[in-house]
Amino acid sequence: MAATLFLAATAGSPGALAQQINTSVWTVVQATGDVRIRQASDDSTTNPWQPLQQGARISSSAQIETGANGQASLSRGEDVMQIVPLTRMEIPAQSPASFFTRIRVFIGKMFFEVDKRPGQDFQVDTPYRAAIVKGTSFSVTANGQQSNVAVAEGSVGVSSNATGQSVVIGPGQFARVTSDAASGVSVGTFDPDTFEDPGTSGDGDTGSGDTGGEGTGDGDTGT
């Protein structure tokens, strides 16, 4: 079952936005340890993994995977994506003229800093959940059992694809949807000061399924 997170900024002129940023190109500003890239395809034979090089520009459909010691940071204008160890994600192909961005997180953990720009829609696909994000700083975790979103700044509307339940979370809150179709969305709290953004803390994360800094409040077990 697929799920989506939507990030949107709606003020201003789309024409001005087009001059500010090419939504199809991401630049690798850091790649350390075991980090690999390949063209997004179901055929791993014709599209083998290759080492991801710092400075590379990614403008076509591509998957990135990090090993146990791998981390990467990608930027596009003021937008930044941090990929921690043991993560697999995808940047689908999209038009340079598009105001829509889509990122897929299959497994592991990523941190996002998304600039508020007029007319931009930013979508992150993970298992089990959908969210509309009106903030700039958040993390996404996905594994075979659950998907999580934790918010450091802004607000996020989260809904379960299976049940249709929806909640809004803000700074210091996280939301979780599990593989149990009847579970809906559970919400908890954490100390925003412990938000584990590798771009600021410098430490890695295993991508094991807990979202950065999340705790056990508001009816969630945190497990």
Side-chain angles (χ1 to χ4, degrees):
M1 181 184 302
T4 53
L5 288 92
F6 296 95
L7 296 84
T10 57
S13 165
L17 172 64
Q19 295 175 1
Q20 293 172 10
I21 187 166
N22 182 337
T23 61
S24 68
V25 179
W26 291 85
T27 300
V28 180
V29 296
Q30 180 186 30
T32 59
D34 182 12
V35 186
R36 302 176 292 276
I37 187 171
R38 69 179 180 186
Q39 182 178 354
S41 170
D42 294 332
D43 188 347
S44 60
T45 302
T46 58
N47 296 289
W49 292 105
Q50 303 289 337
L52 180 64
Q53 302 295 331
Q54 184 169 321
R57 290 169 58 83
I58 303 172
S59 58
S60 61
S61 183
Q63 291 183 356
I64 297 175
E65 182 177 76
T66 55
N69 68 341
Q71 295 193 65
S73 177
L74 284 68
S75 70
R76 185 196 60 182
E78 298 298 318
D79 298 337
V80 177
M81 302 190 296
Q82 304 275 354
I83 311 172
V84 305
L86 301 179
T87 296
R88 179 180 290 185
M89 58 82 69
E90 180 176 308
I91 304 173
Q94 57 195 58
S95 168
S98 174
F99 303 120
F100 175 76
T101 298
R102 169 176 286 168
I103 302 296
R104 297 190 178 108
V105 182
F106 299 114
I107 191 168
K109 184 173 184 177
M110 294 182 62
F111 293 85
F112 296 85
E113 294 282 343
V114 178
D115 188 32
K116 292 183 178 180
R117 289 189 303 274
Q120 174 178 275
D121 291 326
F122 196 109
Q123 174 175 313
V124 180
D125 296 337
T126 73
Y128 312 126
R129 74 158 45 148
I132 297 176
V133 180
K134 299 178 181 179
T136 58
S137 182
F138 63 100
S139 68
V140 174
T141 307
N143 61 30
Q145 292 75 45
Q146 62 189 19
S147 297
N148 302 287
V149 173
V151 179
E153 297 177 11
S155 62
V156 181
V158 179
S159 63
S160 167
N161 284 351
T163 67
Q165 177 194 359
S166 62
V167 300
V168 176
I169 59 174
Q173 292 185 303
F174 67 90
R176 173 177 297 154
V177 179
T178 73
S179 57
D180 181 356
S183 67
V185 183
S186 57
V187 177
T189 61
F190 68 95
D191 182 352
D193 291 338
T194 67
F195 190 72
E196 298 172 0
D197 184 341
T200 56
S201 66
D203 55 1
D205 192 284
T206 63
S208 61
D210 286 334
T211 302
E214 69 181 31
T216 59
D218 294 345
D220 196 284
T221 61
T223 58

